[in-house]
Amino acid sequence: MTLDLETARTIVSAARAHGRDNGFKPLTVVVLDAGGHVVAVEREDGSSTRRFEIAHGKAHGAISLGLGSRALMARAEQQPYFIAAATSAVGGSLVPVPGGVLVRDPSGALLGAVGVSGETSDNDEAAAVAGVEAAGLTPQVD
């Protein structure tokens, strides 16, 4: 199973709907496949500048290290030099705060990641989780 465009669109749509339903600020949602390639992205009207780079960094960091960005935040607190070095190693695209969620199929195979930016990190993560679940897939935040 792969993370195809239609599935990625479902994730984006559901993440945005979660944000609207909960009164979030405008979101940017980025969906990457298991190779770290962008499959789908949407930036809501009014989303501030550089939200794509932040959402991409959350998802890309998760894919690069095999951990949700919440777990990367904990790792950054415990091993800041490692996260700084890893950020450099992946070309700077690693944002270690909640909002980057790994996407797994029902058997546990890694399909990709979703990154959300625009609200608080916890709310970004909640929108990402809602998107993944709406697609019938399993989110991994840690």
Side-chain angles (χ1 to χ4, degrees):
M1 180 176 198
T2 61
L3 188 62
D4 62 17
L5 180 58
E6 289 307 312
T7 303
R9 285 179 172 164
T10 298
I11 292 169
V12 169
S13 177
R16 291 184 55 219
H18 180 85
R20 280 191 311 277
D21 293 347
N22 288 282
F24 291 1
K25 295 175 186 172
L27 300 177
T28 297
V29 183
V30 176
V31 180
L32 306 179
D33 66 14
H37 304 98
V38 175
V39 179
V41 60
E42 288 189 17
R43 179 187 168 274
E44 293 184 325
D45 295 342
S47 186
S48 60
T49 62
R50 299 299 190 192
R51 289 298 178 175
F52 169 80
E53 290 83 358
I54 295 167
H56 180 268
K58 290 178 180 185
H60 190 262
I63 284 285
S64 296
L65 295 179
L67 300 167
S69 61
R70 178 174 294 277
L72 293 177
M73 182 176 73
R75 185 108 185 241
E77 291 168 348
Q78 296 168 0
Q79 297 178 303
Y81 293 117
F82 172 77
I83 292 297
T87 301
S88 177
V90 301
S93 189
L94 190 157
V95 178
V97 296
V101 175
L102 293 173
V103 179
R104 296 195 177 273
D105 73 9
S107 73
L110 180 65
L111 300 179
V114 58
V116 177
S117 182
E119 245 299 330
T120 66
S121 294
D122 288 340
N123 286 342
D124 290 344
E125 180 181 85
V129 166
V132 173
E133 289 176 343
L137 298 170
T138 303
Q140 178 186 334
V141 298
D142 53 9

